[in-house]
Amino acid sequence: PPRGRALCLSPHPDDDVIGCGGTLALHRAQGDAVRVVVAFDGALGLAPGVDPSVRCAEALRAGQRLGVSDYVFLGHPEGHEPRTADLERGATELRGPIAAWAPEVVYVPWMGEQHLDHRTLARVARRALAGFQGQVWGYAVWTPLGPARVVDVTSVWGRKLASLREHTSQLERSGLEARMRG
C-alpha cells in the first residue's frame, strides 16, 4: 500500500477486516499509523437482546491481530435508507475525524456495494471527502469490485484470518470466513 497515515471508513465492526484488513496490517508493518472509523452499530447482526457493544469489543480484539488499536465507533443505527439530509449530516460528522486524523490515504467501501449500509457509507464518504488531497481507495466487502489496484496480502493472510475469527458473534450465523476467502 502507499506509505502514510491511513484511515479506514468501515460500515460495521467487521467490514474493515473483510474488506481491507490485510492492507491495514501491511500499513502497520511498514510503520504507518492507522485509524478505523466504524459508522454503524452492527446491532442487526446480533441475536435479540445482545448489546451492540459486543461488536465494538470484537472489533478492538480483531484490530489487535492486525496491529491496529485506534478505533472510533460512531454507533449509528443501521438498516435504513437515508434521506439527502441524513447523508449531509453524516458527511459533516465525518469531516471532523478526517480533518483531525489528516490521513494520506482513506479506504472506503466502493460505491457499487449492494449492502444498504455499505453503500450509504460510500455515499457519505464521497461527500465528506470532497476536496480531499490524499488518495481514496474503494474496497469490496460483499459485492465484487473490478480492481484498478490489487494489494498482495499473502504475507499477512494469517493475521487477517485470525482477526476475522475475533468476530465470534458473526461467525456462527453468516459464513464470514468462507466469504472472506472467496
Side-chain angles (χ1 to χ4, degrees), residues 1-6 23 26-28 30-34 104-107 134-137 149 151:
R3 299 203 52 101
R5 294 168 69 84
T23 302
L26 290 172
H27 270 289
R28 292 298 300 131
Q30 63 192 24
D32 299 333
V34 174
E104 279 87 25
V105 61
V106 179
Y107 296 94
Q135 296 183 50
V136 179
W137 289 30
R149 298 180 187 180
V151 177

Side-chain angles (χ1 to χ4, degrees), residues 1 47 88 91 116 120 133 135 137 143 147 158:
E88 291 302 329
L116 173 62
T120 296
Q133 297 300 305
Q135 296 183 50
W137 289 30
T143 308

Side-chain angles (χ1 to χ4, degrees), residues 46-117:
L46 293 169
V50 176
D51 189 300
S53 65
V54 166
R55 302 277 318 262
C56 298
E58 290 172 346
L60 292 171
R61 287 193 307 274
Q64 289 175 350
R65 300 286 189 157
L66 300 174
V68 178
S69 60
D70 190 347
Y71 278 77
V72 175
F73 299 97
L74 301 179
H76 291 287
E78 59 188 333
H80 67 279
E81 186 69 48
R83 297 175 312 214
T84 300
D86 298 326
L87 296 172
E88 291 302 329
R89 272 194 304 279
T92 298
E93 181 181 12
L94 273 183
R95 284 185 192 107
I98 292 167
W101 186 243
E104 279 87 25
V105 61
V106 179
Y107 296 94
V108 300
W110 79 287
M111 290 296 293
E113 276 285 339
Q114 294 302 305
H115 188 293
L116 173 62
D117 296 333

Side-chain angles (χ1 to χ4, degrees), residues 126-167:
R126 177 176 274 182
R127 286 171 161 80
L129 291 164
F132 176 68
Q133 297 300 305
Q135 296 183 50
V136 179
W137 289 30
Y139 65 88
V141 180
W142 296 123
T143 308
L145 165 65
R149 298 180 187 180
V150 175
V151 177
D152 182 359
V153 298
T154 305
S155 65
V156 294
W157 179 255
R159 291 172 55 201
K160 179 173 173 157
L161 188 56
S163 179
L164 181 68
R165 289 177 177 159
E166 293 293 344
H167 291 277

